[in-house]
Amino acid sequence: MSDIEAIKDRYLEQIESAADGDALEAIRVAALGKKGEISLLLKTLGKMTQEERQSEGPKINGARQAVADAIAMRKEAIDTEALNARLATEKLDLTLPPPSTPKGSIHPVSQVMDELAEIFADLGFSVATGPEIEDDWHNFTALNIPDTHPARAMHDTFYFPQTDEDGMPKLLRTHTSPVQIRTMMDVAKQTDGAGKPIHIIVPGRTYRSDSDATHTPMFHQVEGLVIDKGIHMGHLKWTLETFVRAFFERDDITLRLRPSYFPFTEPSAEVDLGFTVEKGRRIIGGDPRSENGGWMEILGSGMVHPNVIRNCGLDPDVWQGFAFGCGIDRLAMLKYGMDDLRAFFDGDLRWADHYGFDALDVPTLSGGVGA
Ligand code: DAH
């Protein structure tokens, strides 16, 4: 066996037994590196005679090729072995539950607004909104609450320091009723004073300077307004009855309308819901006249005052209507059992986790309804 054959066989043997990539690389450098044994042999070809080169050239080149191929093959084998070893030791248990990620929830106020929008949509109402920064005309005057009227004292209003062109300051709306005015005025404008039927609810934020367990400076109301021909108190009562029965999901809820006073309605009625006490908790529904029953006030309502209809540019001899205003936060507390209103707006995530609604379980319209 020639020297070259022996050199080649030695390297092939070493390659075969190389344990890892590093050992293989050391062999490659020793044989085929710049100063490698086979590389140096290749360089000797230059100094040979033509005959010598013809016989030695193919042998040396053949040895170089054989060693290079063997290294490549061995490298692939080592890589495959390494991968198999990793696959055997590294395991992914796909049956484990995924790590929990914090998840937001729908605030009960948004949830109730969505429920209101859905219930009233079934009755043919659409949702209207208006600005939270109001002027004196829409919040008071057009609602038949003149400058000197004691009803203005019913609201502890947040006024802005600047005044409007009429010399009156802007204010944070004290109720959602100004949206009645905006809607009726829009309709009067669109129809040149002729008018057309209106059926709206107005969920939104309202503001009064008040703070205790049942009052917060910012709170939520829903206003209802129906304007049509031949509307009377019977329509009001049926609508409210249908609404509370759908909202509290009970058919045995009784309503009581008590005569009251609001400047923007005549006649006006405060509406009470019949409740009964079940297991120490007040439940809306049942017989309010029974031993453990009673009435709780829930909203204000009435027939829209002719002055209000006239103030908006419509003819009260042609158009009549009813309106109501109700606290949304209160509705949420009654339906879902919270007892402190202030917690609604503290932003405590533990409260939100407990009382909030899963957006995936309960599809909601929140985005579109929050004023
Ligand atoms: N705006 C009244 C308030 O905030 C509530 C109200 C009462 C609204 C009677 C109405 C209504 O539309 O008819 O106290």
Side-chain angles (χ1 to χ4, degrees):
M1 193 160 45
S2 72
D3 279 358
I4 296 170
E5 284 292 293
I7 291 170
K8 183 184 83 178
D9 287 349
R10 171 160 45 83
Y11 280 118
L12 292 183
E13 232 166 75
Q14 287 177 13
I15 290 166
E16 194 55 40
S17 57
D20 55 28
D22 288 346
L24 201 59
E25 177 62 8
I27 297 167
R28 189 193 66 79
V29 171
L32 308 174
K34 237 183 183 172
K35 291 179 184 154
E37 195 173 1
I38 297 178
S39 304
L40 292 177
L41 278 175
L42 275 167
K43 280 186 188 156
T44 61
L45 286 176
K47 290 176 202 139
M48 291 181 190
T49 65
Q50 175 115 8
E51 274 161 27
E52 282 173 330
R53 201 180 301 137
Q54 263 174 8
S55 79
E56 294 305 298
K59 285 187 205 154
I60 302 174
N61 271 313
R64 187 189 61 85
Q65 193 59 50
V67 169
D69 288 350
I71 289 176
M73 261 174 66
R74 182 71 190 130
K75 183 164 171 17
E76 211 177 293
I78 288 174
D79 287 350
T80 308
E81 263 169 44
L83 181 64
N84 285 342
R86 257 183 64 198
L87 288 178
T89 52
E90 282 179 19
K91 267 200 206 125
L92 270 184
D93 184 349
L94 296 179
T95 64
L96 283 175
S100 71
T101 41
K103 198 166 62 166
S105 60
I106 304 289
H107 193 284
V109 170
S110 304
Q111 170 72 19
V112 167
M113 282 185 178
D114 288 343
E115 292 175 18
L116 293 169
E118 263 179 56
I119 293 169
F120 278 100
D122 284 348
L123 300 176
F125 287 63
S126 54
V127 171
T129 55
E132 289 170 31
I133 297 177
E134 262 301 0
D135 53 34
D136 185 82
W137 165 260
H138 294 95
N139 196 79
F140 292 125
T141 308
L143 285 161
N144 204 34
I145 314 177
D147 276 2
T148 52
H149 204 286
R152 287 193 192 236
M154 281 158 58
H155 305 314
D156 253 323
T157 309
F158 288 114
Y159 285 101
F160 287 88
Q162 304 89 339
T163 51
D164 271 347
E165 306 92 67
D166 60 3
M168 305 296 280
K170 281 252 197 292
L171 50 95
L172 289 175
R173 67 180 181 192
T174 58
H175 47 183
T176 41
S177 306
V179 185
Q180 287 190 31
I181 302 300
R182 291 185 174 274
T183 307
M184 282 191 274
M185 286 178 79
D186 279 353
V187 164
K189 207 168 141 201
Q190 279 165 27
T191 59
D192 244 344
K196 64 176 185 186
I198 298 172
H199 304 81
I200 54 160
I201 58 161
V202 184
R205 280 188 281 269
T206 48
Y207 303 84
R208 285 178 212 174
S209 180
D210 236 347
S211 189
D212 59 41
T214 52
H215 297 89
T216 48
M218 190 276 295
F219 57 104
H220 298 84
Q221 283 192 337
V222 60
E223 192 83 10
L225 174 69
V226 167
I227 295 288
D228 211 327
K229 293 178 179 168
I231 295 292
H232 54 72
M233 292 286 277
H235 296 117
L236 168 66
K237 186 168 185 239
W238 181 87
T239 304
L240 292 176
E241 209 166 64
T242 305
F243 152 56
V244 295
R245 287 177 182 173
F247 180 75
F248 290 106
E249 296 169 27
R250 277 180 78 131
D251 289 332
D252 63 347
I253 301 176
T254 344
L255 250 60
R256 182 173 75 175
L257 271 63
R258 254 183 311 110
S260 182
Y261 171 75
F262 300 104
F264 30 89
T265 44
E266 182 58 36
S268 303
E270 235 140 2
V271 177
D272 299 335
L273 293 187
F275 71 83
T276 42
V277 177
E278 281 173 25
K279 294 184 192 125
R281 219 190 124 192
R282 277 187 181 194
I283 304 291
I284 308 284
D287 181 3
R289 292 176 189 83
S290 69
E291 205 182 315
N292 55 356
W295 298 100
M296 70 168 85
E297 188 202 319
I298 179 122
L299 55 85
S301 66
M303 300 305 294
V304 181
H305 198 294
N307 287 351
V308 174
I309 295 180
R310 200 175 295 113
N311 286 341
C312 296
L314 297 173
D315 182 353
D317 289 333
V318 178
W319 300 103
Q320 301 79 45
F322 67 76
F324 59 87
C326 180
I328 290 181
D329 314 300
R330 178 97 192 291
L331 287 177
M333 289 167 86
L334 286 172
K335 181 165 179 179
Y336 295 113
M338 308 86 162
D339 53 13
D340 191 340
L341 176 63
R342 288 168 296 198
F344 275 57
F345 311 118
D346 280 348
D348 186 331
L349 285 179
R350 291 166 303 177
W351 187 90
D353 270 352
H354 182 74
Y355 287 111
F357 292 81
D358 192 332
L360 298 176
D361 283 353
V362 191
T364 62
L365 308 164
S366 307
V369 181

